[in-house]
Amino acid sequence: MKSVVLFTIISLMNLGFIHAQSPLELEVVEQLNIYRKKHGIKPVVYDVEISKVALYHTNYIKECDKVGHCVNKDKLPHDEQYDIKNYKELNFEQRSLMAPDKSIWGEIMIAAAMYNKATPMESIAKDIIKSFDSSPNHKDIMLQDFKFTTLVGASIIKSGSDVGPNNDEYIINIDFGVMIPDQYK
């Protein structure tokens, strides 16, 4: 049995299914699936390509923070609005083309979420989902249910801002999509 489990883990790693997913990202996807199950909706499936698209945007938000820019809700927060040196700014539609076999249709984001370093990862993940649930638009995205499997990419990185010795600040970006069936390509 141990050899079967080990073989499965190694195979998944080689295929890239758990390539860049941090433990916190894993927990957020798990909590998202628990949330969806409570609402009678099938689970999302983690996708490496979509996570890379999400990471592109979280890195942009981090760079904006370094130069004192913040996301403005009145200026399309999912578009990269400010010219950052050595960075190619992309709007949501342009980023979605980074995963050509997927249709990325939604994105939810928190530009700055502060947590005490002693907070358990599960509690942070639950709080992230709860925060999105409190926003009608974000809630609608989390509860979308298509006949195709919903794919999700998560990127959660530390902002690098000095928020004190006992706290960490995170930038959270979750993108949602579906695999484009061959007959539609």
Side-chain angles (χ1 to χ4, degrees), residues 12-185:
L12 287 174
M13 288 175 75
N14 286 335
L15 291 172
F17 289 116
I18 57 178
H19 165 64
Q21 200 169 20
S22 74
L24 181 54
E25 291 164 349
L26 274 169
E27 188 62 38
V28 167
V29 172
E30 183 174 328
Q31 293 303 321
L32 175 59
N33 280 331
I34 290 168
Y35 174 84
R36 288 172 61 89
K37 185 177 182 179
K38 286 179 184 174
H39 287 86
I41 300 171
K42 63 186 178 284
V44 297
V45 175
Y46 171 76
D47 186 84
V48 172
E49 284 183 74
I50 295 177
S51 285
K52 290 177 184 176
V53 175
L55 177 61
Y56 192 88
H57 195 54
T58 51
N59 282 329
Y60 170 80
I61 298 300
K62 184 175 183 174
E63 292 302 312
C64 282
D65 188 47
K66 286 179 184 177
V67 296
H69 291 305
C70 63
V71 174
N72 293 315
K73 292 181 181 180
D74 61 328
K75 291 185 178 183
L76 301 172
H78 298 281
D79 288 348
E80 297 174 347
Q81 311 158 26
Y82 300 105
D83 186 22
I84 302 296
K85 186 176 180 177
N86 299 321
Y87 195 91
K88 181 170 174 55
E89 294 78 18
L90 301 174
N91 63 33
F92 175 75
E93 186 177 324
Q94 291 168 322
R95 287 193 312 279
S96 70
L97 297 174
M98 294 169 63
D101 293 339
K102 314 282 182 341
S103 174
I104 300 175
W105 51 265
E107 180 173 71
I108 57 180
M109 178 188 79
I110 301 172
M114 188 169 42
Y115 294 98
N116 185 288
K117 289 182 180 189
T119 305
M121 200 175 350
E122 182 179 343
S123 296
I124 293 172
K126 285 179 179 179
D127 186 68
I128 289 168
I129 298 303
K130 184 179 174 184
S131 294
F132 287 132
D133 179 67
S134 67
S135 163
N137 290 340
H138 291 138
K139 182 176 185 165
D140 286 347
I141 291 170
M142 289 193 303
L143 294 176
Q144 284 293 322
D145 195 22
F146 295 101
K147 69 177 183 175
F148 304 115
T149 300
T150 300
L151 305 173
V152 68
S155 175
I156 303 170
I157 61 173
K158 291 182 182 176
S159 71
S161 295
D162 183 8
V163 290
N166 298 321
N167 299 307
D168 285 322
E169 184 179 71
Y170 294 93
I171 301 164
I172 301 145
N173 197 55
I174 304 172
D175 286 348
F176 294 78
V178 295
M179 179 69 75
I180 299 173
D182 288 336
Q183 70 259 30
Y184 299 113
K185 290 182 186 175

